[in-house]
Amino acid sequence: MERVSGRRVYSLGKKEVQLSPNERKMGYFYEMVSPIQKRATLHTILLIDGSSLMAAHLEDLKDLVTETVKSIGKKHKLSLLLFGGEGELIGLIEQATLEEPQQIIDQLHRQLEECCGDGECVLSEALAEVFLWATQRSSFEKMQVIIVTTGHLYSKRYPLSIEWSRCYGWMLDLFSHHVMTYVVGMGNCYLPFLVRLAKTGQTGDFYPYCEAIRYRRRLKRWISCLKTQENRQWVIENQDYFLMGQTNRVRHPKRIEQVSQLIVTFDGALSLEGELIKINPSVISESMEEQFRLAYSYYLLKHRFIHEASQLLRETSLFSVVYEGYSVNELKQSLVYLDEGASRHQISDSLNSRFSVFDVLKRLLDDPFTQLYYRAERPLVVSDSRNDLCFTASFLGKPARVVTVKASQTKMNVYFTVKLCGVVQKNHRDAKREAYVYRTYDLIKNGELVQKTLTCRLSHKLRQELKQNGIFLKPCPFDASLDEIDLSCLKLTHFQIIPPDASEKIAKGLYELEVLSTKETLLKCLRQHQPEYSEKRAGYKGGGSREYRVNGEGVFIPARVEAATLKMKGYEGDVICWGIENFNRYQVAQRCYEDICQTMLLTSEPILHFLNKEIQRVRQRRLGLSNEIYFFRMQTLLCGQSIFNFEKRNEKKRQHRRYGAIKQSFSQQKIGDLVVFENKQELFITF
């Protein structure tokens, strides 16, 4: 047993292991264990600029110190350091617990009045001292540094560019030692330097001080991040190793954050934090070898190397694990490999369709150089009898561009929105006016594939990847530059084992979706209040035509049909809604609003242009995350798997005057700090 950075590292032994039918390697087994964790000590270092420029902001500085002391609990340590010229670092208080907060506040106010006013401002020396503290702290201490300055540095010893470079370097060093760093700009601060300084550590934040109450909110967020910070990290420097806890084979150095970890290296002794761990010459136990076989087989199954995994599992007592992850048909194909008389030719066909419909769709959406198109079988005609208008989409065999692809958040549907160009004609004899409409078409409905082909313009890289995995491509008959993908011969999804951390990832994704939705709403509200933004943007101004019901963007908008005249159609099936039960929308909205306002202060482009770009960015991120979550949900439901293990379930039946009997169930599960709910309804809906 050896100790590295306070962790115990055990070498369990070695053995040559089978990784695939054609690969055997010597594996060196290690176990890394953290010591028993005590309650972490929180330490905040307030690093205050004591130069002459700060004298004009003394009252704001006092308010900032007051809020800092009041926000920190009695078990939280506080250090307040005042920096000025080279080597001038005054410790007003050092690692003090706040038993009597008001007495400490009065003392600090007096000291600030006495000490502020030095002509020089050298930040790098102060950061060097703080870094020394960071290297000498206990492994149970979590530290954060809050730098309060105007950003106007001045040093007699170094040119300004060198002083900046030294500051950036120390911030990187602090980040490497898991010290969270924040920057508060006072007064007319030098934004370019302070913003870059805050971003250097990758976990930092910049806040331009304006009033005490806003600083208090920001500080509470920083303290919350400090409490949840994870310090238990190791840097593994090997080039080929297997993390058994994560069931992942890695071929590059990596930082891991598990409390304890079993690891198998294939390129020699374990290199941890720059130290080589001695190898135990003994052979590992049979139980450890079987545990490795199971973990590595799971890794192969996740990457769909089913037959390779089957060979590893055939010699273990845990072969039944295959039944937990694969459908009967796929299991039969896998078991062919275990048959004594089976030949390689019998299983070769099953490898040709490694991609499913969802796999193809995900690759098409993830490739920035790929564009989807829709080829209609018949022309589209939209009539507006009230205004005697008729819109005709001019297909002429030309595929229409797909604008968005979206997974339904409540049903087993995937649909895409298409931009259809055409002309509007009035009274069937007047002049025609160019316009376009948006229409929605189903790709997957109720878990069944509707569109048997996909028309797209593929990048060269993606085309090669699809061909190598047995996907049949043919040129589009109306445009040689487009490809048509045949989906009819593909499975809708491959049955796969759900990763153990799937529920946690989905919960975090659902929370982020709520945050993005809140942020997008705020951005739209801010845009509405901009003088340059016309509230009638969707009307018939700016190049539009009221007569032809074409708006300024060229979209044809027919008159609405009364509800009584709508053609009714039905949908039968479960409607499932996921969400976060304990989502504090007001608090998130406040935080998002502060972040937006802070970014608006720092941007140099017109506000309306900035808001439009932010809305587009947030919208794209929300759509991508929503598809990722609900694609995964549909695949698990198709395979009869469950992502969540709901602890609370409430079921009831009620009678609806229109829908008839409705069976509702409301379920909850607590995952970390989040409470995920599932609202499920079984009904027949007409719309």
Side-chain angles (χ1 to χ4, degrees), residues 671-684:
I671 302 175
D673 296 330
L674 302 176
V675 178
V676 178
F677 74 83
E678 179 186 81
N679 191 358
K680 184 177 180 180
Q681 296 184 356
E682 298 176 6
L683 70 161
F684 180 82

Side-chain angles (χ1 to χ4, degrees), residues 160-349:
L160 186 58
S161 58
I162 295 180
E163 173 63 13
W164 287 346
S165 178
R166 286 166 58 84
C167 292
Y168 299 145
W170 286 118
M171 292 289 274
L172 286 173
D173 289 338
L174 289 170
F175 169 71
S176 66
H177 281 70
H178 318 300
V179 177
M180 307 186 78
T181 54
Y182 306 102
V183 179
V184 177
M186 297 295 290
N188 186 20
C189 53
Y190 186 53
L191 290 177
F193 166 66
L194 293 184
V195 172
R196 182 178 176 186
L197 185 71
K199 293 182 178 179
T200 301
Q202 299 181 31
T203 58
D205 187 14
F206 170 69
Y207 171 69
Y209 184 87
C210 52
E211 58 180 348
I213 188 171
R214 292 191 177 184
Y215 169 74
R216 184 197 312 157
R217 294 173 188 158
R218 189 62 62 96
L219 179 62
K220 286 183 178 179
R221 191 195 311 172
W222 294 344
I223 294 174
S224 176
C225 291
L226 183 64
K227 289 179 180 178
T228 58
Q229 180 195 21
E230 179 60 71
N231 282 334
R232 298 185 296 273
Q233 294 185 337
W234 298 293
V235 177
I236 300 176
E237 298 175 344
N238 293 71
Q239 298 292 333
D240 189 7
Y241 53 96
F242 181 69
L243 301 173
M244 290 180 64
Q246 300 177 18
T247 59
N248 187 29
R249 186 172 181 179
V250 188
R251 300 179 187 273
H252 55 80
K254 182 179 180 181
R255 184 184 300 275
I256 61 173
E257 299 181 354
Q258 266 59 32
V259 175
S260 60
Q261 182 74 43
L262 285 171
I263 181 171
V264 183
T265 61
F266 304 121
D267 58 348
L270 173 64
S271 179
L272 185 66
E273 300 285 349
E275 298 185 27
L276 283 176
I277 311 302
K278 294 180 181 178
I279 299 174
N280 186 343
S282 60
V283 179
I284 61 168
S285 63
E286 292 183 3
S287 61
M288 177 60 67
E289 183 181 6
E290 187 168 281
Q291 185 178 351
F292 167 77
R293 281 179 177 271
L294 177 62
Y296 199 81
S297 299
Y298 179 74
Y299 159 74
L300 293 173
L301 288 171
K302 285 194 300 184
H303 292 79
R304 301 196 175 92
F305 297 114
I306 301 173
H307 308 286
E308 289 82 350
S310 300
Q311 182 174 4
L312 290 184
L313 287 171
R314 74 188 280 188
E315 298 179 7
T316 70
S317 61
L318 300 172
F319 180 73
S320 60
V321 73
V322 176
Y323 288 89
E324 299 175 8
Y326 287 84
S327 64
V328 174
N329 289 335
E330 288 180 330
L331 182 61
K332 288 179 179 178
Q333 293 174 0
S334 301
L335 292 179
V336 171
Y337 191 86
L338 304 181
D339 191 352
E340 293 293 338
S343 65
R344 296 293 294 182
H345 178 71
Q346 290 176 281
I347 64 172
S348 60
D349 293 337

Side-chain angles (χ1 to χ4, degrees), residues 473-624:
L473 302 175
K474 64 178 181 179
C476 177
F478 301 99
D479 190 341
S481 65
L482 303 181
D483 295 293
E484 287 192 348
I485 301 176
D486 185 7
L487 302 178
S488 59
C489 59
L490 299 180
K491 293 184 60 177
L492 196 56
T493 180
H494 282 301
F495 208 98
Q496 56 183 323
I497 297 177
I498 298 178
D501 58 345
S503 59
E504 182 179 353
K505 288 183 178 179
I506 295 297
K508 291 180 178 178
L510 291 171
Y511 182 85
E512 187 180 350
L513 277 179
E514 296 282 5
V515 173
L516 291 171
S517 178
T518 304
K519 188 171 185 179
E520 185 177 354
T521 303
L522 284 172
L523 288 166
K524 288 180 178 179
C525 290
L526 289 171
R527 184 176 65 174
Q528 288 284 352
H529 289 84
Q530 296 302 313
E532 302 89 349
Y533 184 76
S534 170
E535 295 184 358
K536 298 181 180 179
R537 187 166 177 261
Y540 301 102
K541 293 187 177 182
S545 170
R546 181 180 297 274
E547 182 182 3
Y548 285 89
R549 299 196 64 82
V550 177
N551 70 4
E553 296 180 347
V555 181
F556 172 64
I557 306 175
R560 293 186 178 180
V561 183
E562 297 298 330
T565 63
L566 286 173
K567 184 180 179 181
M568 309 298 286
K569 55 181 180 177
Y571 170 78
E572 186 174 9
D574 295 342
V575 177
I576 302 174
C577 178
W578 283 351
I580 302 297
E581 179 70 15
N582 59 339
F583 183 75
N584 191 333
R585 192 170 300 278
Y586 175 77
Q587 184 180 4
V588 171
Q590 285 286 101
R591 187 166 70 247
C592 290
Y593 180 74
E594 291 179 7
D595 291 340
I596 293 170
C597 291
Q598 177 184 329
T599 310
M600 287 171 61
L601 288 173
L602 301 178
T603 185
S604 58
E605 60 185 337
I607 298 300
L608 182 59
H609 183 60
F610 163 76
L611 290 174
N612 286 331
K613 281 190 3 183
E614 278 296 295
I615 291 172
Q616 186 66 20
R617 184 185 66 82
V618 172
R619 187 175 295 158
Q620 289 179 353
R621 170 58 184 161
R622 184 164 62 87
L623 176 62

Side-chain angles (χ1 to χ4, degrees), residues 419-465:
K419 179 181 177 181
L420 301 174
C421 298
V423 293
V424 182
Q425 190 175 14
K426 190 175 181 65
N427 299 323
H428 302 282
R429 59 180 179 272
D430 291 351
K432 298 179 180 180
R433 183 178 181 89
E434 291 186 357
Y436 58 88
V437 295
Y438 291 105
R439 286 294 180 268
T440 299
Y441 297 94
D442 291 315
L443 175 65
I444 298 172
K445 187 173 183 179
N446 299 340
E448 298 291 336
L449 185 64
V450 177
Q451 300 289 339
K452 301 302 181 182
T453 60
L454 275 180
T455 304
C456 50
R457 178 174 281 110
L458 296 170
S459 65
H460 177 73
K461 180 179 179 181
L462 184 56
R463 182 184 287 107
Q464 292 297 115
E465 182 182 3

Side-chain angles (χ1 to χ4, degrees), residues 124-141:
S124 60
E125 299 285 346
L127 292 175
E129 183 67 23
V130 171
F131 176 73
L132 184 61
W133 285 22
T135 57
Q136 296 175 351
R137 61 177 169 158
S138 165
S139 59
F140 307 113
E141 180 178 320

